[in-house]
Structure formats: C-alpha cells, structure tokens
Amino acid sequence: MALTKETTSATIKKYGAKDTDTGNVKVQIALMTQRIQQLTDHTKQFPKDANAKRALLKVVGQRRKMLKYFERTDLEGYRAFIKELGLRK
C-alpha cells in the first residue's frame, strides 16, 4: 500500500536539489500528493475501510500544513509548484 522505492526515488530526483534531499518542502509535498492519490483510489475500492479514510485525512492535513508553510516562505515558488502538480485550478 505504501509508495514503492522506485516512485519515491524518482520523485526525489525530480523535485529535490540532489538524490538524498528528502527534507525539501517540494519533495515532501509531492510524496504526500502521491500517497493521497493511492489512498483515494483505495477508499473508492473499499469504502468501509475506516483506517484508510483516517490515514487519508491525516495525510491531507499534513500536506495542507506544508503548503501553508511553503506559501508563507516562497510565494512565487509555491504558485509554480501548485500549477506543476495540478492541485488547484
């Protein structure tokens, strides 16, 4: 159910400054977005899975906090990143 090592490393290479840059805000938000997509698909397939719903809400809240931080620290980077991920229209 978790992200595979290949997708995680590809995301880190795409959004991070270097291959081991897992603390970068962009990398963390991108990984959370992938996890949210997985959990959303799972909850659609198994609607009675309460633990998956709770995990989904938890990750959405974490991503929301990270997005607020990113918006507060780098507004132009935030806007470009949101557009790149396709989170808001």
Side-chain angles (χ1 to χ4, degrees):
M1 190 72 205
L3 297 173
T4 62
K5 286 186 179 184
E6 292 82 21
T7 59
T8 303
S9 63
T11 303
I12 292 170
K13 286 180 185 177
K14 183 175 182 182
Y15 295 110
K18 54 184 179 175
D19 292 345
T20 59
D21 193 13
T22 58
N24 192 341
V25 177
K26 289 183 178 182
V27 172
Q28 290 184 27
I29 293 171
L31 289 174
M32 286 184 208
T33 302
Q34 289 178 347
R35 182 74 176 137
I36 288 170
Q37 290 171 350
Q38 276 189 344
L39 286 169
T40 302
D41 294 340
H42 179 80
T43 54
K44 286 180 183 177
Q45 188 177 1
F46 304 102
K48 293 185 179 183
D49 190 356
N51 291 327
K53 288 180 186 178
R54 182 178 185 277
L56 176 62
L57 292 175
K58 186 175 178 180
V59 175
V60 167
Q62 288 174 344
R63 185 180 70 175
R64 184 182 303 133
K65 287 179 188 177
M66 292 294 290
L67 285 170
K68 281 183 183 180
Y69 169 78
F70 192 36
E71 181 181 21
R72 190 173 65 238
T73 57
D74 183 17
L75 185 61
E76 292 302 319
Y78 166 79
R79 288 179 179 160
F81 188 63
I82 291 298
K83 191 174 285 187
E84 185 178 348
L85 285 181
L87 292 178
R88 298 199 177 100
K89 295 178 181 179

